[in-house]
Amino acid sequence: QMRLVCAYSNNGWSNGVPECNKTDPECRPGCWDWCDGLPTVKKKPHWCSFPPWRLKEAMEEQDQLYSFGHHERRYVNDQKFNELIMDTWRQPWASALPSMIKAVFVQAGSDAPEEKYGEQVHNKLLMYFGLNKSDVPILEYNASSAHTPFRPFRRTAGGGLMAP
């Protein structure tokens, strides 16, 4: 089932998109007009979204944005990220939970409160669904590590354990 509605190469400001009638097949909540093919590095990246069939292009543009030094300082640790809008209104997800959750992750370089929040989310998820840590691990995500972007999470901020 196709759940991806649109993608952004960085922060898409999706919470600012005007509401639409969710029964309308053309409704794309959280998605701005489709990008026209021009690199969004030349304009405000959040003014257009990529349709699902152009996901690869959105991810390639994300790499371009950050190779040009484009990043907005108001985001946590200047981490490289994208935004994907998933359909939860036409096809509710409840029946697919918890099997659709493969992991919880904390971004590399997070500070102590962010790491603690990630651990709290992970623990609450495990308790809510009666799962073990081996069912849904908590991982560290490092976007600059091309070969191993995910690895087991170890608290690094605030005097905790360092990742191996």
Side-chain angles (χ1 to χ4, degrees):
Q1 294 176 334
M2 183 57 136
R3 302 253 180 165
L4 180 64
V5 180
C6 68
Y8 296 95
S9 57
N10 67 350
N11 184 11
W13 297 92
S14 60
N15 59 349
V17 176
E19 287 290 320
C20 60
N21 179 351
K22 293 179 181 170
T23 60
D24 180 349
E26 298 298 314
C27 176
R28 299 186 312 260
C31 301
W32 295 99
D33 292 335
W34 293 145
C35 293
D36 57 12
L38 297 174
T40 59
V41 294
K42 307 235 188 274
K43 56 187 172 186
K44 296 269 187 195
H46 57 270
W47 287 354
C48 69
S49 56
F50 289 85
W53 57 90
R54 291 177 59 201
L55 175 62
K56 183 175 188 238
E57 187 179 338
M59 299 302 98
E60 289 169 348
E61 182 169 286
Q62 175 188 8
D63 291 338
Q64 262 189 327
L65 287 170
Y66 287 90
S67 68
F68 292 148
H70 171 88
H71 47 139
E72 300 181 45
R73 298 216 45 96
R74 66 179 170 266
Y75 302 115
V76 176
N77 299 323
D78 287 329
Q79 293 295 318
K80 178 177 172 179
F81 71 96
N82 53 54
E83 187 173 345
L84 304 177
I85 306 299
M86 309 301 281
D87 181 342
T88 61
W89 61 94
R90 289 188 188 98
Q91 302 167 359
W93 297 38
S95 63
L97 291 173
S99 63
M100 71 183 297
I101 302 170
K102 301 303 178 196
V104 171
F105 73 88
V106 175
Q107 287 187 313
S110 294
D111 62 20
E114 293 160 344
E115 288 183 345
K116 184 177 179 181
Y117 182 74
E119 289 175 316
Q120 289 172 340
V121 167
H122 184 242
N123 289 333
K124 286 181 181 183
L125 174 78
L126 296 179
M127 285 180 21
Y128 184 83
F129 288 109
L131 301 172
N132 298 313
K133 290 180 180 182
S134 60
D135 297 325
V136 179
I138 184 168
L139 304 174
E140 176 187 83
Y141 173 63
N142 185 343
S144 63
S145 179
H147 298 293
T148 56
F150 292 99
R151 64 182 182 177
F153 172 76
R154 302 284 186 266
R155 186 181 284 251
T156 58
L161 301 172
M162 297 297 288

